[in-house]
Amino acid sequence: MSDFTLQVDQHKYLPLGGREVHAILTVTGTVAQAPPTEAAEVIIIDTSGSMTGGKIREARQAAKAAVDALRDGVEFAVISGDTSARMVYPRGRKLAKAGQSTRDNAKKAIDTLDANGGTSIGQWLLLACDLLESRPGAIRHALLMTDGQNNEGEEAFARALKQCEGRFVCDSLGVGDDWVPDELRKVSNALLGAFDFVRDQKDLAEFFTRITEASMGKTVAELALRVWIPKDATLKYIRQVSPTLLDLSGKRTPVNPLTGDYPTGSWGAEEREYHLCVEVPPAAPGQEIRAAWIKLVRPDTGDVHASGNVLAHWTEDLALSTRINRKVAHYTGQAELHELIQEGLSARAAGDTATATARLAKAKQLADSSGREDTARLLAKVVEIDPGTGTARLRRHVEKADEIELDTGSTRTSQLRQEG
């Protein structure tokens, strides 16, 4: 059985004429003696031509490690992906129930995987979607790994992601330095999963095991944040800000003209945080309104697990209205850091040295001041700042793997440290 809490952190006081209300929503799930939950898992292995040699050997070991991590009774399949998608196990477009014999047979089938052909990630996801659709009541999850650039057209890829959206959660991994982070970022944004960089292919099995075990720990298939805002107000954005950045603003499912559901995916024992920003019409001093009413709901049943209010109160007291909530400030800074890194790397790729230097140098300063030591270390491999003059310049030689690690790592955030 799972229990959930919702905590709202905000500073409700606005100056006269103030309109924007910010709040951080902390959702915490706890699991007490959880019974086995129906689950379906699809493991997707890139077997394109670039996977020859050591990569395909490590991919086989990783896939077998994921199969070993499946809970008894979980429905599963293994897919081989190149220019098209093919079933590795079981035979036929269906799922198998995890047990000792099916695990052994799946691992024998995985041992036959070879590398050949191109990369069509959208086709792989569509086959996974078709398989997972056969278990509508289950916690549906896919694990995808790739080492190369997607060869299918952008429109075909976008159509595939749209078709899969809301039907299952997908975590993805990029291996080596020839894949494109933006492609797996699109998978993450559409399918509400995380994506990560496996720098050393020998670590692939560890990543597969960790992700599969996390998937097996989920106990609720889907929760949504149901957000009500008053008439004449505008929800400017709602973003997941911890443990990773994920914009939910465009995923609204209307409940009524003032209320919409924003999907958060499947849940186990974990904590996630969301940044909500609502624009409200200004009011007279002393007036207080409910700027948003948040409910954590199961979309299929309408059951409400937790709820909370976001308030707005107008005041003439400048000392009160100029205070900033620490949590809101913290995650605003984390989002700014991510945007600076993305803008800097894009400018660098486009040959715009001036913009790239300015953005990445500012990101380095922000990472240093906010205690993001890992991000600051990666930024130092791309941009150097003279400690005496403060002059910044891009480094001439940057390893591709360092650039990918900086790109993928920029979506991860740190939680606010406790005071005192």
Side-chain angles (χ1 to χ4, degrees), residues 81-96:
D82 48 54
T83 309
S84 60
R86 293 187 301 278
M87 295 294 299
V88 176
Y89 185 85
R91 293 184 177 180
R93 295 170 77 96
K94 61 183 180 181
L95 299 170

Side-chain angles (χ1 to χ4, degrees), residues 260-286:
D261 281 353
Y262 296 85
T264 65
S266 54
W267 282 78
E270 58 191 297
E271 180 178 289
R272 302 181 204 170
E273 291 179 299
Y274 302 86
H275 186 168
L276 176 83
C277 177
V278 180
E279 187 175 82
V280 294

Side-chain angles (χ1 to χ4, degrees), residues 360-377:
L360 293 170
K362 188 175 179 182
K364 174 70 166 59
Q365 293 165 347
L366 188 56
D368 285 334
S369 63
S370 61
R372 292 291 304 273
E373 294 176 3
D374 288 349
T375 303
R377 175 181 56 79

Side-chain angles (χ1 to χ4, degrees), residues 51-62 201:
M51 288 288 293
T52 54
K55 281 185 187 172
I56 193 66
R57 286 195 295 275
E58 297 296 343
R60 291 187 203 117
Q61 294 304 316
Q201 62 196 35

Side-chain angles (χ1 to χ4, degrees), residues 112-125:
T112 66
L113 287 176
D114 207 353
N116 190 31
T119 302
S120 296
I121 295 174
Q123 293 300 308
W124 312 349
L125 291 170

Side-chain angles (χ1 to χ4, degrees), residues 99-325:
Q100 193 57 54
S101 63
T102 53
R103 285 196 198 90
D104 290 344
N105 290 334
K107 288 188 281 188
K108 287 177 185 175
I110 289 168
D111 276 332
T112 66
L113 287 176
D114 207 353
N116 190 31
T119 302
S120 296
I121 295 174
Q123 293 300 308
W124 312 349
L125 291 170
L126 286 173
L127 178 54
C129 185
D130 188 37
L131 295 167
L132 292 168
E133 281 280 272
S134 65
R135 298 294 183 274
I139 294 173
R140 297 178 289 188
H141 179 260
L143 166 56
L144 179 153
M145 66 79 53
T146 184
D147 80 323
Q149 301 177 22
N150 196 17
N151 302 134
E152 62 193 346
E154 287 188 17
E155 289 186 5
F157 186 36
R159 281 197 303 273
L161 290 176
K162 190 68 179 174
Q163 191 169 332
C164 296
E165 195 169 342
R167 300 175 187 273
F168 63 99
V169 172
C170 181
D171 292 312
S172 51
L173 296 170
V175 185
D177 58 11
D178 194 35
W179 60 285
V180 180
D182 193 48
E183 291 172 347
L184 294 193
R185 195 177 353 263
K186 289 177 181 175
V187 175
S188 172
N189 289 338
L191 306 183
L192 300 177
F195 75 106
D196 212 339
F197 173 40
V198 184
R199 189 166 184 137
D200 186 342
Q201 62 196 35
K202 293 179 181 176
D203 295 332
L204 201 51
E206 181 184 336
F207 275 82
F208 268 55
T209 300
R210 186 165 65 237
I211 292 172
T212 307
E213 287 177 345
S215 175
M216 295 298 99
K218 303 294 184 186
T219 54
V220 176
E222 170 67 30
L223 289 177
L225 288 167
R226 180 163 292 174
V227 182
W228 171 92
I229 57 173
K231 186 181 177 184
D232 298 326
T234 303
L235 192 144
K236 296 194 72 174
Y237 58 79
I238 180 167
R239 303 168 178 154
Q240 178 182 291
V241 291
S242 175
T244 58
L245 295 170
L246 196 60
D247 195 347
L248 305 179
S249 307
K251 298 181 179 297
R252 182 180 190 269
T253 298
V255 176
N256 59 51
L258 301 181
T259 310
D261 281 353
Y262 296 85
T264 65
S266 54
W267 282 78
E270 58 191 297
E271 180 178 289
R272 302 181 204 170
E273 291 179 299
Y274 302 86
H275 186 168
L276 176 83
C277 177
V278 180
E279 187 175 82
V280 294
Q287 186 171 347
E288 180 168 303
I289 67 166
R290 177 192 274 166
W293 186 14
I294 317 297
K295 295 178 181 176
L296 187 66
V297 302
R298 280 190 59 160
D300 56 340
T301 63
D303 291 346
V304 178
H305 290 268
S307 64
N309 288 310
V310 177
L311 304 176
H313 184 118
W314 284 266
T315 179
E316 295 178 297
D317 185 341
L318 281 178
L320 202 56
S321 65
T322 53
R323 288 180 193 166
I324 300 173
N325 178 275

